[in-house]
Amino acid sequence: MENKEKEIKNVTVVGVIVNLFLSITKLIIGYLGNSQALIADGVHSFSDLATDLSIIFGVKYWLAPADEEHQYGHRKIELLVTIFIAIALAFVGISIFAKAILALKQNNIQSPSLVAFIGAMLSIISKEWLYRYTAKKANMLKSPAVKANAWHHRSDAISSLPVAIVIVIAAIFPKLIWLDAIGAIVVSVFIIYPAYTIFKKSILSILDESVDSETLSKIEQIALQTKDVKEVHDIRTRKAGETFFVDMHILVDGNISVQEGHDISEEVKLNLMKSNKDILDVLVHLEPFNEIESKQNK
């Protein structure tokens, strides 16, 4: 756990350094280049700093081992951090959208200069690299919070693309300066949509969402392949971030000893946890197998 905490902090610190540099750079260039879209993009990068810090300070809590008061661990703290990231992302997107609409209504838009294009391109290249780096680490670490933060980086890269386009058009064709505000609106959409997706997924996980039907089917097959297991039923799962718990009933010969039944259940648990590294724990309920009842149920 200590190694995982260190890895998560390391990848996030890289994001902090890049975001701080990009935020300051885009705000300065956006101001000097009269680009509302680039300034909005700079604010977006500052929001990334807030989510980076929430991960750095939160990781030690959600990776803390189970205790008497939290016997299933503390992994839902990671989901709360992920929800915070989604809300922060949505807030930034809505703020940018509102400001751009107001600028269009008041016709308060200045023509951007081509120097602002440099800031937008710098953002696209830097944030796409940061997304790929963070997403790769998130998959290795099985961390939804780091994965959400990776998408936060990509939304910044994607949102900078229309910014670069409208800056060039508005700079070359002064009559089309209103496109700069439109670019800011497009940025807001690219920010709000992933925020909604991340928020929805995290809420479902907090509400003990189960795994997909394909994973459930694999769990059943592995349990049935275990020696002396006659039947399997009532398989239940509940997610804890990218990991999950399994609760299931297995039917065995009712004439065997308690020790033999216990050994079979332990083998089922071991086989399942070997088959899927995302399984945190397996609770196996033993029941006596009745061949007549089994045939009737089928």
Side-chain angles (χ1 to χ4, degrees):
M1 285 298 181
E2 287 183 7
N3 186 52
K4 185 173 182 179
E5 180 182 340
K6 185 179 178 181
E7 286 287 333
I8 290 175
K9 283 185 176 180
N10 286 344
V11 67
T12 309
V13 165
V14 173
V16 169
I17 295 169
V18 174
N19 284 325
L20 186 59
F21 169 74
L22 281 178
S23 300
I24 295 171
T25 302
K26 286 194 282 188
L27 287 173
I28 292 173
I29 295 177
Y31 176 77
L32 295 175
N34 294 323
S35 175
Q36 182 179 335
L38 188 59
I39 291 172
D41 215 20
V43 174
H44 183 195
S45 293
F46 260 122
S47 75
D48 284 357
L49 278 172
T51 58
D52 287 337
L53 293 174
S54 70
I55 290 177
I56 289 172
F57 290 111
V59 61
K60 70 176 181 179
Y61 295 105
W62 77 63
L63 288 180
D67 52 39
E68 289 186 7
E69 295 180 348
H70 306 90
Q71 295 175 355
Y72 287 95
H74 304 78
R75 289 180 178 267
K76 287 191 176 180
I77 293 176
E78 182 173 16
L79 295 172
L80 293 175
V81 171
T82 307
I83 288 171
F84 166 74
I85 292 173
I87 292 172
L89 202 55
F91 179 77
V92 170
I94 293 169
S95 299
I96 291 172
F97 180 85
K99 189 175 180 180
I101 291 295
L102 186 63
L104 284 172
K105 283 184 177 181
Q106 295 178 347
N107 197 25
N108 183 26
I109 307 169
Q110 292 180 307
S111 179
S113 66
L114 285 175
V115 70
F117 177 74
I118 298 172
M121 290 306 299
L122 182 64
S123 176
I124 292 169
I125 295 168
S126 301
K127 293 313 289 272
E128 180 61 22
W129 173 84
L130 190 57
Y131 160 75
R132 291 171 184 266
Y133 170 74
T134 308
K136 183 180 178 181
K137 291 289 186 178
N139 290 331
M140 288 171 54
L141 297 166
K142 298 289 183 181
S143 172
V146 176
K147 186 177 288 186
N149 211 29
W151 275 105
H152 203 166
H153 297 321
R154 167 151 280 188
S155 72
D156 213 355
I158 294 173
S159 66
S160 294
L161 186 59
V163 171
I165 293 171
V166 300
I167 286 172
V168 171
I169 295 173
I172 296 174
F173 304 101
K175 289 184 178 180
L176 299 178
I177 58 171
W178 51 270
L179 281 175
D180 192 50
I182 297 298
I185 291 173
V186 173
V187 169
S188 71
V189 174
F190 279 123
I191 295 171
I192 293 169
Y193 181 73
Y196 164 75
T197 305
I198 293 167
F199 181 83
K200 180 182 177 183
K201 186 176 180 181
S202 299
I203 287 293
L204 288 174
S205 191
I206 277 185
L207 295 175
D208 290 339
E209 179 189 22
S210 69
V211 298
D212 58 84
S213 57
E214 184 181 348
T215 304
L216 281 173
S217 179
K218 287 180 180 178
I219 289 171
E220 182 178 11
Q221 289 172 17
I222 291 167
L224 284 171
Q225 288 168 4
T226 304
K227 185 182 177 182
D228 295 324
V229 173
K230 306 293 185 181
E231 275 188 26
V232 178
H233 66 92
D234 289 345
I235 301 174
R236 297 186 300 172
T237 61
R238 60 185 182 87
K239 288 186 177 180
E242 294 292 303
T243 55
F244 61 95
F245 295 94
V246 179
D247 184 341
M248 66 194 311
H249 292 241
I250 63 170
L251 278 67
V252 299
D253 186 349
N255 295 316
I256 63 175
S257 67
V258 173
Q259 182 62 55
E260 289 173 311
H262 171 74
D263 292 341
I264 294 170
S265 67
E266 284 297 301
E267 188 176 354
V268 169
K269 177 179 177 178
L270 184 63
N271 289 343
L272 285 172
M273 295 190 75
K274 279 184 178 179
S275 71
N276 192 326
K277 293 181 180 179
D278 292 339
I279 297 177
L280 283 174
D281 195 15
V282 181
L283 181 61
V284 181
H285 302 264
L286 276 176
E287 293 181 15
F289 175 72
N290 186 308
E291 190 172 353
I292 297 175
E293 286 185 5
S294 179
K295 287 180 179 179
Q296 288 176 347
N297 290 333
K298 290 180 179 179

PDB file of all heavy atoms in Angstrom, residues 265-286:
ATOM      1  N   SER A 265     -14.472 -24.219   0.350  1.00  0.00           N
ATOM      2  CA  SER A 265     -14.809 -22.797   0.258  1.00  0.00           C
ATOM      3  C   SER A 265     -13.557 -21.937   0.147  1.00  0.00           C
ATOM      4  O   SER A 265     -13.523 -20.941  -0.588  1.00  0.00           O
ATOM      5  CB  SER A 265     -15.655 -22.364   1.461  1.00  0.00           C
ATOM      6  OG  SER A 265     -14.903 -22.423   2.660  1.00  0.00           O
ATOM      7  N   GLU A 266     -12.489 -22.322   0.874  1.00  0.00           N
ATOM      8  CA  GLU A 266     -11.229 -21.582   0.809  1.00  0.00           C
ATOM      9  C   GLU A 266     -10.591 -21.709  -0.574  1.00  0.00           C
ATOM     10  O   GLU A 266      -9.984 -20.758  -1.089  1.00  0.00           O
ATOM     11  CB  GLU A 266     -10.259 -22.099   1.873  1.00  0.00           C
ATOM     12  CG  GLU A 266     -10.576 -21.624   3.280  1.00  0.00           C
ATOM     13  CD  GLU A 266     -10.459 -20.116   3.414  1.00  0.00           C
ATOM     14  OE1 GLU A 266      -9.366 -19.572   3.165  1.00  0.00           O
ATOM     15  OE2 GLU A 266     -11.475 -19.467   3.746  1.00  0.00           O
ATOM     16  N   GLU A 267     -10.745 -22.888  -1.187  1.00  0.00           N
ATOM     17  CA  GLU A 267     -10.196 -23.099  -2.525  1.00  0.00           C
ATOM     18  C   GLU A 267     -10.947 -22.255  -3.555  1.00  0.00           C
ATOM     19  O   GLU A 267     -10.347 -21.687  -4.470  1.00  0.00           O
ATOM     20  CB  GLU A 267     -10.262 -24.585  -2.905  1.00  0.00           C
ATOM     21  CG  GLU A 267      -9.533 -24.889  -4.207  1.00  0.00           C
ATOM     22  CD  GLU A 267      -9.502 -26.380  -4.536  1.00  0.00           C
ATOM     23  OE1 GLU A 267      -9.945 -27.196  -3.696  1.00  0.00           O
ATOM     24  OE2 GLU A 267      -9.027 -26.710  -5.633  1.00  0.00           O
ATOM     25  N   VAL A 268     -12.268 -22.161  -3.388  1.00  0.00           N
ATOM     26  CA  VAL A 268     -13.079 -21.313  -4.274  1.00  0.00           C
ATOM     27  C   VAL A 268     -12.606 -19.863  -4.163  1.00  0.00           C
ATOM     28  O   VAL A 268     -12.399 -19.175  -5.175  1.00  0.00           O
ATOM     29  CB  VAL A 268     -14.575 -21.413  -3.915  1.00  0.00           C
ATOM     30  CG1 VAL A 268     -15.381 -20.326  -4.656  1.00  0.00           C
ATOM     31  CG2 VAL A 268     -15.125 -22.783  -4.271  1.00  0.00           C
ATOM     32  N   LYS A 269     -12.437 -19.404  -2.925  1.00  0.00           N
ATOM     33  CA  LYS A 269     -11.986 -18.029  -2.693  1.00  0.00           C
ATOM     34  C   LYS A 269     -10.616 -17.788  -3.321  1.00  0.00           C
ATOM     35  O   LYS A 269     -10.397 -16.770  -4.004  1.00  0.00           O
ATOM     36  CB  LYS A 269     -11.923 -17.766  -1.181  1.00  0.00           C
ATOM     37  CG  LYS A 269     -11.383 -16.383  -0.818  1.00  0.00           C
ATOM     38  CD  LYS A 269     -11.376 -16.177   0.698  1.00  0.00           C
ATOM     39  CE  LYS A 269     -10.779 -14.824   1.065  1.00  0.00           C
ATOM     40  NZ  LYS A 269     -10.820 -14.588   2.535  1.00  0.00           N
ATOM     41  N   LEU A 270      -9.691 -18.715  -3.120  1.00  0.00           N
ATOM     42  CA  LEU A 270      -8.334 -18.580  -3.650  1.00  0.00           C
ATOM     43  C   LEU A 270      -8.344 -18.554  -5.175  1.00  0.00           C
ATOM     44  O   LEU A 270      -7.662 -17.724  -5.800  1.00  0.00           O
ATOM     45  CB  LEU A 270      -7.469 -19.744  -3.144  1.00  0.00           C
ATOM     46  CG  LEU A 270      -5.982 -19.704  -3.522  1.00  0.00           C
ATOM     47  CD1 LEU A 270      -5.308 -18.479  -2.906  1.00  0.00           C
ATOM     48  CD2 LEU A 270      -5.284 -20.983  -3.058  1.00  0.00           C
ATOM     49  N   ASN A 271      -9.132 -19.433  -5.794  1.00  0.00           N
ATOM     50  CA  ASN A 271      -9.210 -19.496  -7.253  1.00  0.00           C
ATOM     51  C   ASN A 271      -9.758 -18.189  -7.843  1.00  0.00           C
ATOM     52  O   ASN A 271      -9.281 -17.713  -8.871  1.00  0.00           O
ATOM     53  CB  ASN A 271     -10.087 -20.667  -7.699  1.00  0.00           C
ATOM     54  CG  ASN A 271      -9.414 -22.011  -7.443  1.00  0.00           C
ATOM     55  OD1 ASN A 271      -8.201 -22.082  -7.240  1.00  0.00           O
ATOM     56  ND2 ASN A 271     -10.200 -23.072  -7.435  1.00  0.00           N
ATOM     57  N   LEU A 272     -10.773 -17.637  -7.180  1.00  0.00           N
ATOM     58  CA  LEU A 272     -11.375 -16.397  -7.669  1.00  0.00           C
ATOM     59  C   LEU A 272     -10.409 -15.226  -7.556  1.00  0.00           C
ATOM     60  O   LEU A 272     -10.281 -14.419  -8.489  1.00  0.00           O
ATOM     61  CB  LEU A 272     -12.659 -16.089  -6.893  1.00  0.00           C
ATOM     62  CG  LEU A 272     -13.882 -16.945  -7.234  1.00  0.00           C
ATOM     63  CD1 LEU A 272     -15.021 -16.670  -6.265  1.00  0.00           C
ATOM     64  CD2 LEU A 272     -14.335 -16.671  -8.665  1.00  0.00           C
ATOM     65  N   MET A 273      -9.725 -15.115  -6.433  1.00  0.00           N
ATOM     66  CA  MET A 273      -8.815 -13.992  -6.229  1.00  0.00           C
ATOM     67  C   MET A 273      -7.574 -14.098  -7.120  1.00  0.00           C
ATOM     68  O   MET A 273      -6.989 -13.084  -7.496  1.00  0.00           O
ATOM     69  CB  MET A 273      -8.426 -13.885  -4.752  1.00  0.00           C
ATOM     70  CG  MET A 273      -9.625 -13.547  -3.870  1.00  0.00           C
ATOM     71  SD  MET A 273      -9.226 -13.127  -2.158  1.00  0.00           S
ATOM     72  CE  MET A 273      -8.560 -11.480  -2.345  1.00  0.00           C
ATOM     73  N   LYS A 274      -7.209 -15.324  -7.478  1.00  0.00           N
ATOM     74  CA  LYS A 274      -6.110 -15.515  -8.435  1.00  0.00           C
ATOM     75  C   LYS A 274      -6.543 -15.115  -9.841  1.00  0.00           C
ATOM     76  O   LYS A 274      -5.737 -14.609 -10.627  1.00  0.00           O
ATOM     77  CB  LYS A 274      -5.651 -16.980  -8.428  1.00  0.00           C
ATOM     78  CG  LYS A 274      -4.705 -17.346  -7.299  1.00  0.00           C
ATOM     79  CD  LYS A 274      -4.250 -18.798  -7.456  1.00  0.00           C
ATOM     80  CE  LYS A 274      -3.252 -19.181  -6.371  1.00  0.00           C
ATOM     81  NZ  LYS A 274      -2.817 -20.605  -6.511  1.00  0.00           N
ATOM     82  N   SER A 275      -7.804 -15.352 -10.150  1.00  0.00           N
ATOM     83  CA  SER A 275      -8.314 -15.112 -11.507  1.00  0.00           C
ATOM     84  C   SER A 275      -8.540 -13.632 -11.801  1.00  0.00           C
ATOM     85  O   SER A 275      -8.524 -13.206 -12.953  1.00  0.00           O
ATOM     86  CB  SER A 275      -9.626 -15.867 -11.721  1.00  0.00           C
ATOM     87  OG  SER A 275     -10.681 -15.264 -10.976  1.00  0.00           O
ATOM     88  N   ASN A 276      -8.771 -12.842 -10.758  1.00  0.00           N
ATOM     89  CA  ASN A 276      -9.085 -11.423 -10.966  1.00  0.00           C
ATOM     90  C   ASN A 276      -8.469 -10.599  -9.834  1.00  0.00           C
ATOM     91  O   ASN A 276      -8.913 -10.669  -8.691  1.00  0.00           O
ATOM     92  CB  ASN A 276     -10.604 -11.217 -11.016  1.00  0.00           C
ATOM     93  CG  ASN A 276     -10.998  -9.844 -11.512  1.00  0.00           C
ATOM     94  OD1 ASN A 276     -10.308  -8.856 -11.263  1.00  0.00           O
ATOM     95  ND2 ASN A 276     -12.116  -9.768 -12.220  1.00  0.00           N
ATOM     96  N   LYS A 277      -7.468  -9.793 -10.169  1.00  0.00           N
ATOM     97  CA  LYS A 277      -6.760  -9.005  -9.162  1.00  0.00           C
ATOM     98  C   LYS A 277      -7.614  -7.874  -8.585  1.00  0.00           C
ATOM     99  O   LYS A 277      -7.238  -7.261  -7.579  1.00  0.00           O
ATOM    100  CB  LYS A 277      -5.474  -8.427  -9.760  1.00  0.00           C
ATOM    101  CG  LYS A 277      -4.441  -9.486 -10.098  1.00  0.00           C
ATOM    102  CD  LYS A 277      -3.172  -8.871 -10.674  1.00  0.00           C
ATOM    103  CE  LYS A 277      -2.148  -9.944 -11.003  1.00  0.00           C
ATOM    104  NZ  LYS A 277      -0.916  -9.361 -11.599  1.00  0.00           N
ATOM    105  N   ASP A 278      -8.768  -7.607  -9.222  1.00  0.00           N
ATOM    106  CA  ASP A 278      -9.649  -6.542  -8.735  1.00  0.00           C
ATOM    107  C   ASP A 278     -10.551  -7.009  -7.593  1.00  0.00           C
ATOM    108  O   ASP A 278     -11.240  -6.207  -6.970  1.00  0.00           O
ATOM    109  CB  ASP A 278     -10.526  -6.000  -9.875  1.00  0.00           C
ATOM    110  CG  ASP A 278      -9.707  -5.255 -10.913  1.00  0.00           C
ATOM    111  OD1 ASP A 278      -8.590  -4.831 -10.576  1.00  0.00           O
ATOM    112  OD2 ASP A 278     -10.179  -5.102 -12.048  1.00  0.00           O
ATOM    113  N   ILE A 279     -10.569  -8.313  -7.331  1.00  0.00           N
ATOM    114  CA  ILE A 279     -11.387  -8.839  -6.239  1.00  0.00           C
ATOM    115  C   ILE A 279     -10.668  -8.607  -4.915  1.00  0.00           C
ATOM    116  O   ILE A 279      -9.571  -9.107  -4.694  1.00  0.00           O
ATOM    117  CB  ILE A 279     -11.679 -10.340  -6.424  1.00  0.00           C
ATOM    118  CG1 ILE A 279     -12.493 -10.565  -7.706  1.00  0.00           C
ATOM    119  CG2 ILE A 279     -12.440 -10.892  -5.217  1.00  0.00           C
ATOM    120  CD1 ILE A 279     -12.755 -12.031  -8.012  1.00  0.00           C
ATOM    121  N   LEU A 280     -11.313  -7.844  -4.016  1.00  0.00           N
ATOM    122  CA  LEU A 280     -10.719  -7.539  -2.719  1.00  0.00           C
ATOM    123  C   LEU A 280     -10.905  -8.673  -1.722  1.00  0.00           C
ATOM    124  O   LEU A 280     -10.018  -8.978  -0.927  1.00  0.00           O
ATOM    125  CB  LEU A 280     -11.336  -6.258  -2.145  1.00  0.00           C
ATOM    126  CG  LEU A 280     -10.847  -4.938  -2.725  1.00  0.00           C
ATOM    127  CD1 LEU A 280     -11.662  -3.790  -2.144  1.00  0.00           C
ATOM    128  CD2 LEU A 280      -9.379  -4.730  -2.425  1.00  0.00           C
ATOM    129  N   ASP A 281     -12.091  -9.287  -1.741  1.00  0.00           N
ATOM    130  CA  ASP A 281     -12.379 -10.364  -0.797  1.00  0.00           C
ATOM    131  C   ASP A 281     -13.565 -11.175  -1.309  1.00  0.00           C
ATOM    132  O   ASP A 281     -14.384 -10.674  -2.100  1.00  0.00           O
ATOM    133  CB  ASP A 281     -12.705  -9.797   0.588  1.00  0.00           C
ATOM    134  CG  ASP A 281     -12.648 -10.852   1.683  1.00  0.00           C
ATOM    135  OD1 ASP A 281     -12.088 -11.937   1.421  1.00  0.00           O
ATOM    136  OD2 ASP A 281     -13.155 -10.596   2.786  1.00  0.00           O
ATOM    137  N   VAL A 282     -13.661 -12.433  -0.871  1.00  0.00           N
ATOM    138  CA  VAL A 282     -14.756 -13.320  -1.276  1.00  0.00           C
ATOM    139  C   VAL A 282     -15.352 -13.952  -0.032  1.00  0.00           C
ATOM    140  O   VAL A 282     -14.632 -14.532   0.788  1.00  0.00           O
ATOM    141  CB  VAL A 282     -14.264 -14.433  -2.232  1.00  0.00           C
ATOM    142  CG1 VAL A 282     -15.435 -15.322  -2.657  1.00  0.00           C
ATOM    143  CG2 VAL A 282     -13.574 -13.839  -3.454  1.00  0.00           C
ATOM    144  N   LEU A 283     -16.658 -13.826   0.120  1.00  0.00           N
ATOM    145  CA  LEU A 283     -17.368 -14.468   1.231  1.00  0.00           C
ATOM    146  C   LEU A 283     -18.168 -15.634   0.656  1.00  0.00           C
ATOM    147  O   LEU A 283     -19.052 -15.436  -0.184  1.00  0.00           O
ATOM    148  CB  LEU A 283     -18.306 -13.473   1.917  1.00  0.00           C
ATOM    149  CG  LEU A 283     -19.109 -14.000   3.110  1.00  0.00           C
ATOM    150  CD1 LEU A 283     -18.172 -14.465   4.224  1.00  0.00           C
ATOM    151  CD2 LEU A 283     -20.050 -12.918   3.630  1.00  0.00           C
ATOM    152  N   VAL A 284     -17.841 -16.866   1.104  1.00  0.00           N
ATOM    153  CA  VAL A 284     -18.474 -18.069   0.565  1.00  0.00           C
ATOM    154  C   VAL A 284     -19.390 -18.692   1.613  1.00  0.00           C
ATOM    155  O   VAL A 284     -18.963 -18.965   2.733  1.00  0.00           O
ATOM    156  CB  VAL A 284     -17.410 -19.107   0.131  1.00  0.00           C
ATOM    157  CG1 VAL A 284     -18.094 -20.349  -0.451  1.00  0.00           C
ATOM    158  CG2 VAL A 284     -16.449 -18.499  -0.887  1.00  0.00           C
ATOM    159  N   HIS A 285     -20.648 -18.901   1.229  1.00  0.00           N
ATOM    160  CA  HIS A 285     -21.629 -19.561   2.107  1.00  0.00           C
ATOM    161  C   HIS A 285     -21.772 -21.020   1.652  1.00  0.00           C
ATOM    162  O   HIS A 285     -22.045 -21.284   0.481  1.00  0.00           O
ATOM    163  CB  HIS A 285     -22.991 -18.863   2.019  1.00  0.00           C
ATOM    164  CG  HIS A 285     -22.944 -17.408   2.372  1.00  0.00           C
ATOM    165  ND1 HIS A 285     -23.241 -16.930   3.624  1.00  0.00           N
ATOM    166  CD2 HIS A 285     -22.632 -16.322   1.615  1.00  0.00           C
ATOM    167  CE1 HIS A 285     -23.118 -15.615   3.631  1.00  0.00           C
ATOM    168  NE2 HIS A 285     -22.744 -15.223   2.427  1.00  0.00           N
ATOM    169  N   LEU A 286     -21.618 -21.948   2.577  1.00  0.00           N
ATOM    170  CA  LEU A 286     -21.745 -23.379   2.256  1.00  0.00           C
ATOM    171  C   LEU A 286     -23.172 -23.868   2.449  1.00  0.00           C
ATOM    172  O   LEU A 286     -23.826 -23.520   3.438  1.00  0.00           O
ATOM    173  CB  LEU A 286     -20.820 -24.194   3.148  1.00  0.00           C
ATOM    174  CG  LEU A 286     -19.349 -24.341   2.735  1.00  0.00           C
ATOM    175  CD1 LEU A 286     -18.608 -25.115   3.813  1.00  0.00           C
ATOM    176  CD2 LEU A 286     -19.218 -25.042   1.401  1.00  0.00           C
TER     177      LEU A 286
END
